[in-house]
Amino acid sequence: MTDWVVIYRTSLGARETRSPSAPTERRALAQARTLHMQGCEVLRIKGPDDSEVSEQRINRWIADGRDRLDLP
C-alpha cells in the first residue's frame, strides 16, 4: 500500500470498511473527521509500509475540528 486509508464502521453495520485512498496522512485524517461527523466509528488509519496513526492522534484531530490541510 502506498497511500493512506481510513478503516471504519458505519453506524448501521459491524463490518469494517476502507475509505478511498488518500495521498497523505493529513488527507486521511481529514477523511476520518468527515466519517466521524457522519456517525461512523473510526477504527484506525493505515499508511505505507504498514504504518498506522495512533488512536490518540486520530481522536485529537477529530476533536480539534479545524481544517489543517493547508498547514505545513
Side-chain angles (χ1 to χ4, degrees):
M1 169 182 357
T2 58
D3 286 335
W4 295 84
V5 294
V6 181
I7 298 154
Y8 65 98
R9 286 192 187 116
T10 66
S11 59
L12 301 175
R15 195 179 97 200
E16 289 186 4
T17 305
R18 295 171 93 79
S19 70
S21 64
T24 66
E25 179 182 1
R26 286 178 184 226
R27 295 248 183 234
L29 284 162
Q31 283 182 349
R33 182 186 299 132
T34 299
L35 288 163
H36 176 78
M37 289 170 45
Q38 294 172 352
C40 298
E41 175 189 7
V42 176
L43 303 172
R44 61 190 169 280
I45 298 175
K46 294 188 69 86
D49 300 321
D50 292 325
S51 58
E52 284 195 28
V53 178
S54 73
E55 181 179 353
Q56 182 181 18
R57 182 153 186 235
I58 294 168
N59 292 336
R60 275 196 318 248
W61 183 277
I62 289 170
D64 184 31
R66 291 183 292 156
D67 185 2
R68 297 187 282 180
L69 292 177
D70 57 342
L71 297 178

